[in-house]
Amino acid sequence: GWLGVRIQRVTEELAADAGLEEPTGAMVAGVTEDGPADAAGIRTGDVVLRFDGEVVEESRELPRIVAESMIGEEVPVTVLRDGDEVQR
């Protein structure tokens, strides 16, 4: 699978800015134009918390989780945006 995002690690500071109690998930640093994430409405600054129901505890886990998904399959992605969990 392919999501079409560049990610970065969620530090203590980024977690606090995003409204998280602790560093978790994967911060979206950029979205590939016309990629799956762009089509789903995922934005730079979102924090990916779950992908296809699997919790993303650290940013390095997201590429593995995405790679294990079936190509072309639509899956739910939960992101934190402006302090609220949003499902895309």
Side-chain angles (χ1 to χ4, degrees):
W2 176 58
L3 187 56
V5 294
R6 291 181 310 283
I7 58 170
Q8 69 184 64
R9 185 174 70 88
V10 178
T11 64
E12 293 278 343
E13 186 175 297
L14 289 174
D17 289 346
L20 291 166
E21 292 182 17
E22 60 185 52
T24 189
M27 175 74 70
V28 177
V31 178
T32 303
E33 189 175 335
D34 297 325
D38 188 29
I42 294 174
R43 303 180 194 158
T44 299
D46 286 348
V47 178
V48 179
L49 301 175
R50 285 183 292 288
F51 184 88
D52 197 16
E54 190 167 342
V55 174
V56 179
E57 292 184 24
E58 296 183 20
S59 60
R60 63 187 170 143
E61 296 175 340
L62 184 59
R64 175 194 54 82
I65 296 168
V66 172
E68 291 174 352
S69 65
M70 298 293 293
I71 294 172
E73 178 182 12
E74 289 189 23
V75 299
V77 179
T78 303
V79 300
L80 185 69
R81 178 181 296 156
D82 300 325
D84 295 319
E85 286 191 20
V86 178
Q87 186 155 331
R88 307 309 302 168

